[in-house]
PDB file of all heavy atoms in Angstrom:
ATOM      1  N   LEU A 130     139.716 104.933  99.275  1.00  0.00           N
ATOM      2  CA  LEU A 130     139.540 105.530 100.606  1.00  0.00           C
ATOM      3  C   LEU A 130     138.145 105.237 101.156  1.00  0.00           C
ATOM      4  O   LEU A 130     137.989 104.926 102.351  1.00  0.00           O
ATOM      5  CB  LEU A 130     139.768 107.035 100.539  1.00  0.00           C
ATOM      6  CG  LEU A 130     141.204 107.488 100.239  1.00  0.00           C
ATOM      7  CD1 LEU A 130     141.267 109.002 100.129  1.00  0.00           C
ATOM      8  CD2 LEU A 130     142.172 106.985 101.311  1.00  0.00           C
ATOM      9  N   ASP A 131     137.127 105.311 100.297  1.00  0.00           N
ATOM     10  CA  ASP A 131     135.762 105.008 100.747  1.00  0.00           C
ATOM     11  C   ASP A 131     135.667 103.572 101.236  1.00  0.00           C
ATOM     12  O   ASP A 131     135.048 103.276 102.274  1.00  0.00           O
ATOM     13  CB  ASP A 131     134.769 105.226  99.608  1.00  0.00           C
ATOM     14  CG  ASP A 131     134.590 106.699  99.281  1.00  0.00           C
ATOM     15  OD1 ASP A 131     134.987 107.551 100.104  1.00  0.00           O
ATOM     16  OD2 ASP A 131     134.041 106.990  98.194  1.00  0.00           O
ATOM     17  N   ALA A 132     136.285 102.637 100.480  1.00  0.00           N
ATOM     18  CA  ALA A 132     136.234 101.229 100.868  1.00  0.00           C
ATOM     19  C   ALA A 132     136.996 100.993 102.166  1.00  0.00           C
ATOM     20  O   ALA A 132     136.566 100.210 103.024  1.00  0.00           O
ATOM     21  CB  ALA A 132     136.824 100.360  99.749  1.00  0.00           C
ATOM     22  N   ALA A 133     138.146 101.678 102.318  1.00  0.00           N
ATOM     23  CA  ALA A 133     138.941 101.502 103.539  1.00  0.00           C
ATOM     24  C   ALA A 133     138.180 102.006 104.761  1.00  0.00           C
ATOM     25  O   ALA A 133     138.200 101.373 105.827  1.00  0.00           O
ATOM     26  CB  ALA A 133     140.273 102.244 103.398  1.00  0.00           C
ATOM     27  N   ARG A 134     137.495 103.145 104.607  1.00  0.00           N
ATOM     28  CA  ARG A 134     136.707 103.672 105.729  1.00  0.00           C
ATOM     29  C   ARG A 134     135.561 102.733 106.073  1.00  0.00           C
ATOM     30  O   ARG A 134     135.241 102.520 107.243  1.00  0.00           O
ATOM     31  CB  ARG A 134     136.173 105.052 105.379  1.00  0.00           C
ATOM     32  CG  ARG A 134     137.237 106.126 105.231  1.00  0.00           C
ATOM     33  CD  ARG A 134     136.606 107.507 105.088  1.00  0.00           C
ATOM     34  NE  ARG A 134     137.605 108.505 104.706  1.00  0.00           N
ATOM     35  CZ  ARG A 134     137.735 108.978 103.472  1.00  0.00           C
ATOM     36  NH1 ARG A 134     136.929 108.565 102.519  1.00  0.00           N
ATOM     37  NH2 ARG A 134     138.663 109.869 103.201  1.00  0.00           N
ATOM     38  N   ALA A 135     134.924 102.159 105.048  1.00  0.00           N
ATOM     39  CA  ALA A 135     133.799 101.246 105.300  1.00  0.00           C
ATOM     40  C   ALA A 135     134.275  99.953 105.941  1.00  0.00           C
ATOM     41  O   ALA A 135     133.562  99.346 106.736  1.00  0.00           O
ATOM     42  CB  ALA A 135     133.079 100.945 103.988  1.00  0.00           C
ATOM     43  N   ALA A 136     135.506  99.538 105.599  1.00  0.00           N
ATOM     44  CA  ALA A 136     135.995  98.258 106.118  1.00  0.00           C
ATOM     45  C   ALA A 136     136.515  98.360 107.544  1.00  0.00           C
ATOM     46  O   ALA A 136     136.578  97.359 108.255  1.00  0.00           O
ATOM     47  CB  ALA A 136     137.114  97.725 105.208  1.00  0.00           C
ATOM     48  N   ALA A 137     136.891  99.564 107.970  1.00  0.00           N
ATOM     49  CA  ALA A 137     137.496  99.708 109.298  1.00  0.00           C
ATOM     50  C   ALA A 137     136.598  99.212 110.426  1.00  0.00           C
ATOM     51  O   ALA A 137     137.040  98.458 111.297  1.00  0.00           O
ATOM     52  CB  ALA A 137     137.903 101.160 109.527  1.00  0.00           C
ATOM     53  N   PRO A 138     135.296  99.588 110.462  1.00  0.00           N
ATOM     54  CA  PRO A 138     134.453  99.073 111.548  1.00  0.00           C
ATOM     55  C   PRO A 138     134.330  97.558 111.521  1.00  0.00           C
ATOM     56  O   PRO A 138     134.289  96.914 112.561  1.00  0.00           O
ATOM     57  CB  PRO A 138     133.102  99.752 111.279  1.00  0.00           C
ATOM     58  CG  PRO A 138     133.425 100.959 110.472  1.00  0.00           C
ATOM     59  CD  PRO A 138     134.582 100.560 109.626  1.00  0.00           C
ATOM     60  N   ARG A 139     134.258  96.980 110.300  1.00  0.00           N
ATOM     61  CA  ARG A 139     134.144  95.528 110.217  1.00  0.00           C
ATOM     62  C   ARG A 139     135.400  94.851 110.752  1.00  0.00           C
ATOM     63  O   ARG A 139     135.327  93.862 111.481  1.00  0.00           O
ATOM     64  CB  ARG A 139     133.906  95.102 108.760  1.00  0.00           C
ATOM     65  CG  ARG A 139     133.904  93.598 108.578  1.00  0.00           C
ATOM     66  CD  ARG A 139     133.601  93.213 107.150  1.00  0.00           C
ATOM     67  NE  ARG A 139     134.536  93.762 106.191  1.00  0.00           N
ATOM     68  CZ  ARG A 139     135.751  93.274 105.987  1.00  0.00           C
ATOM     69  NH1 ARG A 139     136.161  92.229 106.674  1.00  0.00           N
ATOM     70  NH2 ARG A 139     136.552  93.814 105.093  1.00  0.00           N
ATOM     71  N   ARG A 140     136.575  95.397 110.403  1.00  0.00           N
ATOM     72  CA  ARG A 140     137.816  94.790 110.904  1.00  0.00           C
ATOM     73  C   ARG A 140     137.870  94.874 112.422  1.00  0.00           C
ATOM     74  O   ARG A 140     138.331  93.961 113.096  1.00  0.00           O
ATOM     75  CB  ARG A 140     139.021  95.490 110.281  1.00  0.00           C
ATOM     76  CG  ARG A 140     139.251  95.133 108.821  1.00  0.00           C
ATOM     77  CD  ARG A 140     140.658  95.520 108.395  1.00  0.00           C
ATOM     78  NE  ARG A 140     140.889  96.939 108.537  1.00  0.00           N
ATOM     79  CZ  ARG A 140     140.679  97.821 107.561  1.00  0.00           C
ATOM     80  NH1 ARG A 140     140.200  97.424 106.409  1.00  0.00           N
ATOM     81  NH2 ARG A 140     140.933  99.102 107.754  1.00  0.00           N
ATOM     82  N   HIS A 141     137.391  96.003 112.964  1.00  0.00           N
ATOM     83  CA  HIS A 141     137.386  96.156 114.420  1.00  0.00           C
ATOM     84  C   HIS A 141     136.495  95.105 115.064  1.00  0.00           C
ATOM     85  O   HIS A 141     136.849  94.517 116.089  1.00  0.00           O
ATOM     86  CB  HIS A 141     136.902  97.557 114.783  1.00  0.00           C
ATOM     87  CG  HIS A 141     136.822  97.805 116.262  1.00  0.00           C
ATOM     88  ND1 HIS A 141     137.936  97.845 117.072  1.00  0.00           N
ATOM     89  CD2 HIS A 141     135.751  97.995 117.078  1.00  0.00           C
ATOM     90  CE1 HIS A 141     137.555  98.054 118.332  1.00  0.00           C
ATOM     91  NE2 HIS A 141     136.235  98.149 118.353  1.00  0.00           N
ATOM     92  N   ARG A 142     135.320  94.859 114.457  1.00  0.00           N
ATOM     93  CA  ARG A 142     134.425  93.840 115.014  1.00  0.00           C
ATOM     94  C   ARG A 142     135.055  92.463 114.942  1.00  0.00           C
ATOM     95  O   ARG A 142     134.933  91.651 115.850  1.00  0.00           O
ATOM     96  CB  ARG A 142     133.098  93.857 114.251  1.00  0.00           C
ATOM     97  CG  ARG A 142     132.226  95.045 114.538  1.00  0.00           C
ATOM     98  CD  ARG A 142     130.832  94.830 113.993  1.00  0.00           C
ATOM     99  NE  ARG A 142     130.843  94.640 112.558  1.00  0.00           N
ATOM    100  CZ  ARG A 142     130.760  95.628 111.672  1.00  0.00           C
ATOM    101  NH1 ARG A 142     130.671  96.866 112.097  1.00  0.00           N
ATOM    102  NH2 ARG A 142     130.745  95.384 110.386  1.00  0.00           N
ATOM    103  N   GLU A 143     135.741  92.161 113.826  1.00  0.00           N
ATOM    104  CA  GLU A 143     136.336  90.828 113.667  1.00  0.00           C
ATOM    105  C   GLU A 143     137.406  90.574 114.734  1.00  0.00           C
ATOM    106  O   GLU A 143     137.566  89.460 115.218  1.00  0.00           O
ATOM    107  CB  GLU A 143     136.948  90.682 112.275  1.00  0.00           C
ATOM    108  CG  GLU A 143     135.900  90.597 111.179  1.00  0.00           C
ATOM    109  CD  GLU A 143     136.510  90.620 109.802  1.00  0.00           C
ATOM    110  OE1 GLU A 143     137.718  90.901 109.690  1.00  0.00           O
ATOM    111  OE2 GLU A 143     135.772  90.369 108.849  1.00  0.00           O
ATOM    112  N   VAL A 144     138.145  91.628 115.091  1.00  0.00           N
ATOM    113  CA  VAL A 144     139.153  91.466 116.131  1.00  0.00           C
ATOM    114  C   VAL A 144     138.502  91.098 117.453  1.00  0.00           C
ATOM    115  O   VAL A 144     139.033  90.303 118.242  1.00  0.00           O
ATOM    116  CB  VAL A 144     139.981  92.768 116.271  1.00  0.00           C
ATOM    117  CG1 VAL A 144     140.848  92.720 117.518  1.00  0.00           C
ATOM    118  CG2 VAL A 144     140.846  92.969 115.037  1.00  0.00           C
ATOM    119  N   ARG A 145     137.294  91.650 117.694  1.00  0.00           N
ATOM    120  CA  ARG A 145     136.615  91.383 118.955  1.00  0.00           C
ATOM    121  C   ARG A 145     135.939  90.019 119.002  1.00  0.00           C
ATOM    122  O   ARG A 145     135.645  89.509 120.068  1.00  0.00           O
ATOM    123  CB  ARG A 145     135.555  92.468 119.210  1.00  0.00           C
ATOM    124  CG  ARG A 145     136.141  93.837 119.475  1.00  0.00           C
ATOM    125  CD  ARG A 145     135.079  94.813 119.932  1.00  0.00           C
ATOM    126  NE  ARG A 145     134.161  95.178 118.869  1.00  0.00           N
ATOM    127  CZ  ARG A 145     132.915  94.766 118.789  1.00  0.00           C
ATOM    128  NH1 ARG A 145     132.428  93.946 119.700  1.00  0.00           N
ATOM    129  NH2 ARG A 145     132.128  95.167 117.804  1.00  0.00           N
ATOM    130  N   VAL A 146     135.672  89.434 117.837  1.00  0.00           N
ATOM    131  CA  VAL A 146     134.973  88.142 117.819  1.00  0.00           C
ATOM    132  C   VAL A 146     135.936  87.027 118.189  1.00  0.00           C
ATOM    133  O   VAL A 146     137.054  86.963 117.672  1.00  0.00           O
ATOM    134  CB  VAL A 146     134.374  87.889 116.418  1.00  0.00           C
ATOM    135  CG1 VAL A 146     133.782  86.484 116.341  1.00  0.00           C
ATOM    136  CG2 VAL A 146     133.304  88.910 116.116  1.00  0.00           C
ATOM    137  N   GLU A 147     135.556  86.161 119.066  1.00  0.00           N
ATOM    138  CA  GLU A 147     136.404  85.051 119.465  1.00  0.00           C
ATOM    139  C   GLU A 147     136.545  84.069 118.324  1.00  0.00           C
ATOM    140  O   GLU A 147     135.707  83.992 117.433  1.00  0.00           O
ATOM    141  CB  GLU A 147     135.813  84.346 120.685  1.00  0.00           C
ATOM    142  CG  GLU A 147     135.788  85.194 121.927  1.00  0.00           C
ATOM    143  CD  GLU A 147     135.224  84.449 123.117  1.00  0.00           C
ATOM    144  OE1 GLU A 147     134.773  83.304 122.931  1.00  0.00           O
ATOM    145  OE2 GLU A 147     135.223  85.018 124.207  1.00  0.00           O
ATOM    146  N   ALA A 148     137.612  83.254 118.378  1.00  0.00           N
ATOM    147  CA  ALA A 148     137.882  82.302 117.299  1.00  0.00           C
ATOM    148  C   ALA A 148     136.765  81.299 117.143  1.00  0.00           C
ATOM    149  O   ALA A 148     136.512  80.794 116.057  1.00  0.00           O
ATOM    150  CB  ALA A 148     139.199  81.570 117.568  1.00  0.00           C
ATOM    151  N   GLU A 149     136.077  80.968 118.218  1.00  0.00           N
ATOM    152  CA  GLU A 149     134.973  80.008 118.162  1.00  0.00           C
ATOM    153  C   GLU A 149     133.699  80.728 118.570  1.00  0.00           C
ATOM    154  O   GLU A 149     133.580  81.213 119.689  1.00  0.00           O
ATOM    155  CB  GLU A 149     135.240  78.850 119.123  1.00  0.00           C
ATOM    156  CG  GLU A 149     134.197  77.760 119.081  1.00  0.00           C
ATOM    157  CD  GLU A 149     134.569  76.658 120.043  1.00  0.00           C
ATOM    158  OE1 GLU A 149     135.518  75.926 119.748  1.00  0.00           O
ATOM    159  OE2 GLU A 149     133.928  76.542 121.098  1.00  0.00           O
ATOM    160  N   PRO A 150     132.726  80.813 117.646  1.00  0.00           N
ATOM    161  CA  PRO A 150     131.531  81.592 117.954  1.00  0.00           C
ATOM    162  C   PRO A 150     130.654  80.908 118.980  1.00  0.00           C
ATOM    163  O   PRO A 150     130.122  79.837 118.737  1.00  0.00           O
ATOM    164  CB  PRO A 150     130.809  81.677 116.604  1.00  0.00           C
ATOM    165  CG  PRO A 150     131.278  80.466 115.878  1.00  0.00           C
ATOM    166  CD  PRO A 150     132.692  80.211 116.333  1.00  0.00           C
ATOM    167  N   ALA A 151     130.503  81.503 120.155  1.00  0.00           N
ATOM    168  CA  ALA A 151     129.686  80.923 121.226  1.00  0.00           C
ATOM    169  C   ALA A 151     128.355  81.646 121.300  1.00  0.00           C
ATOM    170  O   ALA A 151     128.244  82.808 120.916  1.00  0.00           O
ATOM    171  CB  ALA A 151     130.418  81.059 122.570  1.00  0.00           C
ATOM    172  N   PRO A 152     127.326  80.971 121.805  1.00  0.00           N
ATOM    173  CA  PRO A 152     126.026  81.627 121.933  1.00  0.00           C
ATOM    174  C   PRO A 152     126.109  82.839 122.859  1.00  0.00           C
ATOM    175  O   PRO A 152     126.814  82.815 123.860  1.00  0.00           O
ATOM    176  CB  PRO A 152     125.148  80.534 122.556  1.00  0.00           C
ATOM    177  CG  PRO A 152     125.850  79.250 122.278  1.00  0.00           C
ATOM    178  CD  PRO A 152     127.307  79.577 122.252  1.00  0.00           C
ATOM    179  N   VAL A 153     125.400  83.886 122.489  1.00  0.00           N
ATOM    180  CA  VAL A 153     125.376  85.086 123.322  1.00  0.00           C
ATOM    181  C   VAL A 153     123.906  85.460 123.536  1.00  0.00           C
ATOM    182  O   VAL A 153     123.361  86.301 122.823  1.00  0.00           O
ATOM    183  CB  VAL A 153     126.138  86.252 122.659  1.00  0.00           C
ATOM    184  CG1 VAL A 153     126.247  87.436 123.622  1.00  0.00           C
ATOM    185  CG2 VAL A 153     127.512  85.815 122.208  1.00  0.00           C
ATOM    186  N   PRO A 154     123.217  84.816 124.477  1.00  0.00           N
ATOM    187  CA  PRO A 154     121.788  85.068 124.665  1.00  0.00           C
ATOM    188  C   PRO A 154     121.516  86.537 124.964  1.00  0.00           C
ATOM    189  O   PRO A 154     122.206  87.172 125.758  1.00  0.00           O
ATOM    190  CB  PRO A 154     121.428  84.192 125.867  1.00  0.00           C
ATOM    191  CG  PRO A 154     122.511  83.160 125.924  1.00  0.00           C
ATOM    192  CD  PRO A 154     123.750  83.837 125.429  1.00  0.00           C
ATOM    193  N   GLY A 155     120.512  87.057 124.299  1.00  0.00           N
ATOM    194  CA  GLY A 155     120.071  88.413 124.605  1.00  0.00           C
ATOM    195  C   GLY A 155     120.977  89.511 124.088  1.00  0.00           C
ATOM    196  O   GLY A 155     120.815  90.658 124.447  1.00  0.00           O
ATOM    197  N   GLU A 156     121.941  89.178 123.226  1.00  0.00           N
ATOM    198  CA  GLU A 156     122.854  90.206 122.716  1.00  0.00           C
ATOM    199  C   GLU A 156     122.073  91.233 121.904  1.00  0.00           C
ATOM    200  O   GLU A 156     121.203  90.914 121.103  1.00  0.00           O
ATOM    201  CB  GLU A 156     123.920  89.548 121.826  1.00  0.00           C
ATOM    202  CG  GLU A 156     124.963  90.532 121.297  1.00  0.00           C
ATOM    203  CD  GLU A 156     125.976  89.852 120.399  1.00  0.00           C
ATOM    204  OE1 GLU A 156     125.778  88.689 120.070  1.00  0.00           O
ATOM    205  OE2 GLU A 156     126.963  90.507 120.054  1.00  0.00           O
ATOM    206  N   ALA A 157     122.359  92.492 122.106  1.00  0.00           N
ATOM    207  CA  ALA A 157     121.634  93.546 121.393  1.00  0.00           C
ATOM    208  C   ALA A 157     121.982  93.510 119.913  1.00  0.00           C
ATOM    209  O   ALA A 157     123.082  93.152 119.526  1.00  0.00           O
ATOM    210  CB  ALA A 157     122.002  94.899 121.971  1.00  0.00           C
ATOM    211  N   VAL A 158     121.030  93.888 119.084  1.00  0.00           N
ATOM    212  CA  VAL A 158     121.266  93.953 117.651  1.00  0.00           C
ATOM    213  C   VAL A 158     122.101  95.190 117.358  1.00  0.00           C
ATOM    214  O   VAL A 158     121.711  96.298 117.703  1.00  0.00           O
ATOM    215  CB  VAL A 158     119.925  94.016 116.902  1.00  0.00           C
ATOM    216  CG1 VAL A 158     120.161  94.139 115.404  1.00  0.00           C
ATOM    217  CG2 VAL A 158     119.094  92.786 117.219  1.00  0.00           C
ATOM    218  N   ASP A 159     123.248  95.010 116.715  1.00  0.00           N
ATOM    219  CA  ASP A 159     124.119  96.160 116.488  1.00  0.00           C
ATOM    220  C   ASP A 159     123.837  96.789 115.134  1.00  0.00           C
ATOM    221  O   ASP A 159     122.975  96.365 114.384  1.00  0.00           O
ATOM    222  CB  ASP A 159     125.587  95.763 116.661  1.00  0.00           C
ATOM    223  CG  ASP A 159     126.073  94.813 115.566  1.00  0.00           C
ATOM    224  OD1 ASP A 159     125.351  94.644 114.568  1.00  0.00           O
ATOM    225  OD2 ASP A 159     127.161  94.259 115.717  1.00  0.00           O
ATOM    226  N   ASP A 160     124.593  97.834 114.822  1.00  0.00           N
ATOM    227  CA  ASP A 160     124.339  98.587 113.607  1.00  0.00           C
ATOM    228  C   ASP A 160     124.589  97.767 112.348  1.00  0.00           C
ATOM    229  O   ASP A 160     124.010  98.060 111.299  1.00  0.00           O
ATOM    230  CB  ASP A 160     125.232  99.835 113.577  1.00  0.00           C
ATOM    231  CG  ASP A 160     124.768 100.885 114.582  1.00  0.00           C
ATOM    232  OD1 ASP A 160     123.594 100.822 114.982  1.00  0.00           O
ATOM    233  OD2 ASP A 160     125.585 101.743 114.948  1.00  0.00           O
ATOM    234  N   THR A 161     125.459  96.771 112.424  1.00  0.00           N
ATOM    235  CA  THR A 161     125.762  95.978 111.233  1.00  0.00           C
ATOM    236  C   THR A 161     124.518  95.293 110.705  1.00  0.00           C
ATOM    237  O   THR A 161     124.224  95.338 109.501  1.00  0.00           O
ATOM    238  CB  THR A 161     126.839  94.927 111.555  1.00  0.00           C
ATOM    239  OG1 THR A 161     127.974  95.570 112.109  1.00  0.00           O
ATOM    240  CG2 THR A 161     127.251  94.188 110.293  1.00  0.00           C
ATOM    241  N   LEU A 162     123.768  94.646 111.592  1.00  0.00           N
ATOM    242  CA  LEU A 162     122.561  93.954 111.153  1.00  0.00           C
ATOM    243  C   LEU A 162     121.530  94.946 110.614  1.00  0.00           C
ATOM    244  O   LEU A 162     120.818  94.670 109.640  1.00  0.00           O
ATOM    245  CB  LEU A 162     121.973  93.137 112.302  1.00  0.00           C
ATOM    246  CG  LEU A 162     120.886  92.121 111.929  1.00  0.00           C
ATOM    247  CD1 LEU A 162     121.369  91.183 110.840  1.00  0.00           C
ATOM    248  CD2 LEU A 162     120.457  91.335 113.152  1.00  0.00           C
ATOM    249  N   ARG A 163     121.445  96.118 111.236  1.00  0.00           N
ATOM    250  CA  ARG A 163     120.523  97.143 110.721  1.00  0.00           C
ATOM    251  C   ARG A 163     120.924  97.569 109.308  1.00  0.00           C
ATOM    252  O   ARG A 163     120.073  97.800 108.437  1.00  0.00           O
ATOM    253  CB  ARG A 163     120.519  98.356 111.660  1.00  0.00           C
ATOM    254  CG  ARG A 163     119.888  98.080 113.015  1.00  0.00           C
ATOM    255  CD  ARG A 163     119.654  99.372 113.778  1.00  0.00           C
ATOM    256  NE  ARG A 163     119.094  99.107 115.105  1.00  0.00           N
ATOM    257  CZ  ARG A 163     119.800  98.960 116.208  1.00  0.00           C
ATOM    258  NH1 ARG A 163     121.122  99.068 116.168  1.00  0.00           N
ATOM    259  NH2 ARG A 163     119.203  98.719 117.369  1.00  0.00           N
ATOM    260  N   LEU A 164     122.236  97.689 109.078  1.00  0.00           N
ATOM    261  CA  LEU A 164     122.709  98.051 107.740  1.00  0.00           C
ATOM    262  C   LEU A 164     122.348  96.980 106.720  1.00  0.00           C
ATOM    263  O   LEU A 164     122.008  97.285 105.571  1.00  0.00           O
ATOM    264  CB  LEU A 164     124.223  98.275 107.756  1.00  0.00           C
ATOM    265  CG  LEU A 164     124.709  99.563 108.416  1.00  0.00           C
ATOM    266  CD1 LEU A 164     126.228  99.567 108.524  1.00  0.00           C
ATOM    267  CD2 LEU A 164     124.229 100.780 107.632  1.00  0.00           C
ATOM    268  N   TYR A 165     122.412  95.699 107.131  1.00  0.00           N
ATOM    269  CA  TYR A 165     122.018  94.620 106.227  1.00  0.00           C
ATOM    270  C   TYR A 165     120.574  94.813 105.783  1.00  0.00           C
ATOM    271  O   TYR A 165     120.241  94.659 104.601  1.00  0.00           O
ATOM    272  CB  TYR A 165     122.171  93.267 106.918  1.00  0.00           C
ATOM    273  CG  TYR A 165     123.539  92.648 106.790  1.00  0.00           C
ATOM    274  CD1 TYR A 165     124.658  93.229 107.388  1.00  0.00           C
ATOM    275  CD2 TYR A 165     123.732  91.476 106.082  1.00  0.00           C
ATOM    276  CE1 TYR A 165     125.910  92.663 107.285  1.00  0.00           C
ATOM    277  CE2 TYR A 165     124.986  90.894 105.962  1.00  0.00           C
ATOM    278  CZ  TYR A 165     126.073  91.493 106.563  1.00  0.00           C
ATOM    279  OH  TYR A 165     127.320  90.933 106.442  1.00  0.00           O
ATOM    280  N   PHE A 166     119.717  95.147 106.739  1.00  0.00           N
ATOM    281  CA  PHE A 166     118.308  95.336 106.408  1.00  0.00           C
ATOM    282  C   PHE A 166     118.085  96.587 105.555  1.00  0.00           C
ATOM    283  O   PHE A 166     117.272  96.589 104.637  1.00  0.00           O
ATOM    284  CB  PHE A 166     117.463  95.423 107.687  1.00  0.00           C
ATOM    285  CG  PHE A 166     117.010  94.085 108.187  1.00  0.00           C
ATOM    286  CD1 PHE A 166     117.743  93.404 109.150  1.00  0.00           C
ATOM    287  CD2 PHE A 166     115.868  93.494 107.675  1.00  0.00           C
ATOM    288  CE1 PHE A 166     117.335  92.164 109.607  1.00  0.00           C
ATOM    289  CE2 PHE A 166     115.453  92.252 108.122  1.00  0.00           C
ATOM    290  CZ  PHE A 166     116.176  91.581 109.092  1.00  0.00           C
ATOM    291  N   LEU A 167     118.809  97.645 105.852  1.00  0.00           N
ATOM    292  CA  LEU A 167     118.636  98.872 105.095  1.00  0.00           C
ATOM    293  C   LEU A 167     119.106  98.724 103.655  1.00  0.00           C
ATOM    294  O   LEU A 167     118.491  99.271 102.730  1.00  0.00           O
ATOM    295  CB  LEU A 167     119.382 100.022 105.780  1.00  0.00           C
ATOM    296  CG  LEU A 167     118.765 100.512 107.097  1.00  0.00           C
ATOM    297  CD1 LEU A 167     119.707 101.487 107.783  1.00  0.00           C
ATOM    298  CD2 LEU A 167     117.408 101.165 106.848  1.00  0.00           C
ATOM    299  N   CYS A 168     120.195  97.984 103.449  1.00  0.00           N
ATOM    300  CA  CYS A 168     120.678  97.775 102.082  1.00  0.00           C
ATOM    301  C   CYS A 168     119.738  96.870 101.282  1.00  0.00           C
ATOM    302  O   CYS A 168     119.743  96.905 100.053  1.00  0.00           O
ATOM    303  CB  CYS A 168     122.094  97.178 102.093  1.00  0.00           C
ATOM    304  SG  CYS A 168     123.384  98.374 102.462  1.00  0.00           S
ATOM    305  N   ALA A 169     118.956  96.050 101.977  1.00  0.00           N
ATOM    306  CA  ALA A 169     117.959  95.218 101.297  1.00  0.00           C
ATOM    307  C   ALA A 169     116.707  96.054 101.064  1.00  0.00           C
ATOM    308  O   ALA A 169     115.599  95.693 101.456  1.00  0.00           O
ATOM    309  CB  ALA A 169     117.646  93.988 102.143  1.00  0.00           C
ATOM    310  N   HIS A 170     116.876  97.206 100.417  1.00  0.00           N
ATOM    311  CA  HIS A 170     115.801  98.190 100.276  1.00  0.00           C
ATOM    312  C   HIS A 170     114.746  97.704  99.280  1.00  0.00           C
ATOM    313  O   HIS A 170     115.080  97.067  98.273  1.00  0.00           O
ATOM    314  CB  HIS A 170     116.393  99.522  99.787  1.00  0.00           C
ATOM    315  CG  HIS A 170     115.493 100.688  99.973  1.00  0.00           C
ATOM    316  ND1 HIS A 170     114.565 101.065  99.017  1.00  0.00           N
ATOM    317  CD2 HIS A 170     115.357 101.572 100.993  1.00  0.00           C
ATOM    318  CE1 HIS A 170     113.904 102.131  99.446  1.00  0.00           C
ATOM    319  NE2 HIS A 170     114.368 102.463 100.635  1.00  0.00           N
ATOM    320  N   PRO A 171     113.462  97.998  99.538  1.00  0.00           N
ATOM    321  CA  PRO A 171     112.392  97.543  98.632  1.00  0.00           C
ATOM    322  C   PRO A 171     112.530  98.048  97.198  1.00  0.00           C
ATOM    323  O   PRO A 171     111.969  97.453  96.285  1.00  0.00           O
ATOM    324  CB  PRO A 171     111.123  98.102  99.288  1.00  0.00           C
ATOM    325  CG  PRO A 171     111.474  98.280 100.723  1.00  0.00           C
ATOM    326  CD  PRO A 171     112.920  98.659 100.740  1.00  0.00           C
ATOM    327  N   SER A 172     113.267  99.135  96.989  1.00  0.00           N
ATOM    328  CA  SER A 172     113.425  99.659  95.631  1.00  0.00           C
ATOM    329  C   SER A 172     114.387  98.830  94.796  1.00  0.00           C
ATOM    330  O   SER A 172     114.483  99.021  93.578  1.00  0.00           O
ATOM    331  CB  SER A 172     113.921 101.106  95.677  1.00  0.00           C
ATOM    332  OG  SER A 172     115.207 101.190  96.270  1.00  0.00           O
TER     333      SER A 172
END
C-alpha cells in the first residue's frame, strides 16, 4: 500500500508527459525534483 500510494503521483505525471519530450523553457521546478534532492541527504 505504501508503494502504491508513492507511485500514484508518478503515474499521474507520466500520463501528462507527451510521448516526445519537448523543451519547456522556464518550467517551474516541481516537487519531484525537490524530492530527488531531499533523498540525496548528506547523512
Side-chain angles (χ1 to χ4, degrees):
L130 292 177
D131 289 344
R134 293 188 190 103
R139 175 177 59 77
R140 286 197 300 268
H141 178 66
R142 288 193 299 271
E143 289 173 349
V144 169
R145 292 189 289 107
V146 174
E147 294 181 355
E149 183 179 288
V153 187
E156 183 181 9
V158 178
D159 68 12
D160 288 339
T161 305
L162 193 54
R163 291 192 182 93
L164 286 173
Y165 272 66
F166 272 94
L167 289 171
C168 283
H170 197 272
S172 63

